[in-house]
Amino acid sequence: MTREQYILATQQNSLPRTEHPQFYPVGIYGWRKRCLYFFVLLLLVTMIVNLAMTIWILKVMNFTVDGMGNLRVTKKGIRLEGISEFLLPLYVKEIHSRKDSPLVLQSDRNVTVNARNHMGQLTGQLTVGAEAVEAQCKRFEVRASDSGKVLFSADEDEIVIGADRLKVTGTEGAVFGHSVETPHIRAEPSQDLKLESPTRSLVMEAPRGVQVNAAAGDLKATCRKELHLQSTEGEIFLNADTIRLGNLPMGSFSSSSSFSSSSSSPSSSAPHQTIYELCACPNGKLYLSPAGAGSTCQSSSNICLWS
């Protein structure tokens, strides 16, 4: 045994031994332990309630692997069945309905469909409201479903109606603020056709002629001031059994002899006025003939030869 080991052994034997050794407890005791158990129990109850609420929500909302409720997620997109409500804006690329049911968009106020470009600027808008349907776009078109023909189009410059026939069923007819260009205007069977301008003049022009035809009725032209029938290069042809000019003013005829005798009297100061008769040739041409005591239309048949 070495010296150091001996000294150590003697020192351990010389230490006083205590009769009751002290122990220090390790852990949580008392009120701390009770609080810990309480919080653990509260956490367990909260987890159970959350799990029950999650299961209830999954059951009520009908969550499945394909989607939730009436919403189904497919390879082609999202499919909604039944009535769906959207409280916030909906951004989609295409909306289709089933083949056996229509697509209905319903709102308490209005339905607005907006189209924007890549910069987010509004390029087109369609608003369906309770009082009006408004469309704001550069060009508005209505096409046929089968052939794709443009039935109606409108832009800033013009409005085009591409249908074969435009029918106006209003009792007051159609009112045009400016000129109208059309090849044919006709009324419905057993109905009258009336072209009227209440405060301005009515002008009908055509590069190759204007044809007015009343197959089963009368043709009536009425104006306030003057009625002009003008043909720049051709003729005006009136083909009828009887042509009557009513309400013409009547004039008085005075011969040259009576005029010379009456001119010497100071009481006669009226100017001389020559009265002409309007005569018609067998070919339909009209000429003027001086009026006499009797009609001179029969005696002036030679005029028809050279006129």
Side-chain angles (χ1 to χ4, degrees), residues 117-289:
N117 55 10
H118 64 282
M119 300 178 62
Q121 299 176 353
L122 184 64
T123 58
Q125 185 180 63
L126 178 63
T127 303
V128 181
E131 298 180 356
V133 178
E134 298 180 359
Q136 298 180 4
C137 54
K138 294 182 179 180
R139 183 177 178 86
F140 180 77
E141 292 185 356
V142 177
R143 295 180 176 271
S145 59
D146 50 355
S147 61
K149 179 182 177 181
V150 178
L151 302 179
F152 178 84
S153 65
D155 54 13
E156 296 180 357
D157 298 330
E158 63 179 1
I159 296 177
V160 178
I161 300 176
D164 297 334
R165 182 177 63 177
L166 174 62
K167 183 178 181 180
V168 181
T169 59
T171 56
E172 298 295 332
V175 179
F176 300 95
H178 299 282
S179 61
V180 179
E181 182 178 354
T182 177
H184 188 199
I185 299 177
R186 70 180 180 90
E188 288 292 325
S190 69
Q191 298 292 332
D192 296 334
L193 176 63
K194 180 185 294 185
L195 301 178
E196 182 180 2
S197 178
T199 58
R200 300 293 296 273
S201 60
L202 179 62
V203 180
M204 293 187 294
E205 297 179 352
R208 299 185 61 182
V210 177
Q211 181 180 1
V212 181
N213 184 16
D218 299 334
L219 176 62
K220 183 178 180 181
T222 305
C223 64
R224 182 178 177 85
K225 292 183 178 181
E226 296 179 357
L227 177 62
H228 295 276
L229 300 177
Q230 182 180 0
S231 177
T232 56
E233 297 181 359
E235 60 181 3
I236 298 175
F237 182 71
L238 301 176
N239 185 10
D241 296 337
T242 303
I243 299 176
R244 300 179 58 184
L245 301 176
N247 298 328
L248 293 179
M250 300 296 294
S252 60
F253 174 75
S254 60
S255 60
S256 59
S257 59
S258 61
F259 173 75
S260 60
S261 61
S262 62
S263 62
S264 59
S265 62
S267 60
S268 177
S269 60
H272 176 69
Q273 182 180 4
T274 305
I275 304 300
Y276 294 93
E277 287 183 337
L278 181 63
C279 302
C281 296
N283 58 0
K285 293 186 178 181
L286 302 179
Y287 66 94
L288 296 177
S289 176

Side-chain angles (χ1 to χ4, degrees), residues 8-23:
L8 231 164
T10 55
Q11 288 181 355
Q12 290 179 357
N13 295 328
S14 62
L15 291 176
R17 295 182 179 179
T18 58
E19 296 180 357
H20 301 284
Q22 297 180 356
F23 296 96

